[in-house]
Amino acid sequence: MRAAGVINRIGFFFHTPLPPSATLAALPNHESLFSALFAYDLVGFQSHEDKENFLSYVRTYFGDQAVEGSVVTRRGRTLVDVFPLGIDVENFRAFAQSQGSQEALQRIQQEYSRRKLLIGIDPLDYAKGIPHRVRGFGEILEEVS
């Protein structure tokens, strides 16, 4: 985007864990791949370990002077930070214990106590084989009916 002339603030978020710097260095063209991240204003990670793995990689392959705290100082300034994904546990717990939630639970238990349920609790997206999962659910339903 920068090469195309975009000057707006842009960020990049790693949705998957980032391995240690020695593992990253095993990637072909790792230095050009990771130096491309310096064009972003913000690079985000899910955990402090992932952030530290990235900063360790930058220090090792671009020099200690390339990192000032949580800022990579190559091609300008790239802030590196942690943005954990998840739920607000306390809010979720309070909701689960609320009167309305308990009443809804009783209705659901009463309604579904007469049925067999097949519940999948996982993210479904185009990259995770939705047709295979649907066929698998179909096969399970055939076996239990």
Side-chain angles (χ1 to χ4, degrees):
M1 292 175 66
R2 293 288 187 228
V6 174
I7 59 171
N8 300 41
R9 291 183 184 178
I10 54 175
F12 183 87
F13 183 76
F14 278 89
H15 288 271
T16 57
L18 192 73
S21 60
T23 304
L24 296 173
L27 294 170
N29 303 315
H30 63 93
E31 287 177 328
S32 64
L33 176 67
F34 282 91
S35 69
L37 292 172
F38 305 146
Y40 292 98
D41 297 290
L42 175 66
V43 176
F45 299 92
Q46 287 195 50
S47 74
H48 291 283
E49 182 180 1
D50 296 337
K51 173 186 168 182
E52 289 307 315
N53 285 345
F54 177 72
L55 293 175
S56 173
Y57 172 87
V58 172
R59 285 185 200 98
T60 301
Y61 293 94
F62 295 97
D64 288 334
Q65 73 283 1
V67 177
E68 294 176 5
S70 290
V71 176
V72 175
T73 55
R74 300 216 11 127
R75 292 197 209 167
R77 293 174 44 86
T78 301
L79 178 62
V80 179
D81 213 342
V82 176
F83 304 95
L85 297 178
I87 64 169
D88 179 344
V89 175
E90 290 307 316
N91 192 15
F92 192 81
R93 182 177 292 130
F95 170 74
Q97 295 171 350
S98 71
Q99 180 67 30
S101 177
Q102 293 300 312
E103 290 169 1
L105 175 61
Q106 289 174 357
R107 285 192 308 274
I108 290 169
Q109 287 175 329
Q110 186 177 30
E111 174 66 27
Y112 289 103
S113 66
R114 303 182 303 268
R115 302 178 187 197
K116 292 182 181 178
L117 296 177
L118 177 63
I119 300 173
I121 304 175
D122 55 339
L124 290 178
D125 64 47
Y126 67 91
K128 295 196 170 85
I130 293 173
H132 297 91
R133 289 180 184 197
V134 171
R135 278 194 293 278
F137 286 147
E139 290 175 15
I140 290 170
L141 291 172
E142 288 176 7
E143 288 179 18
V144 298
S145 55

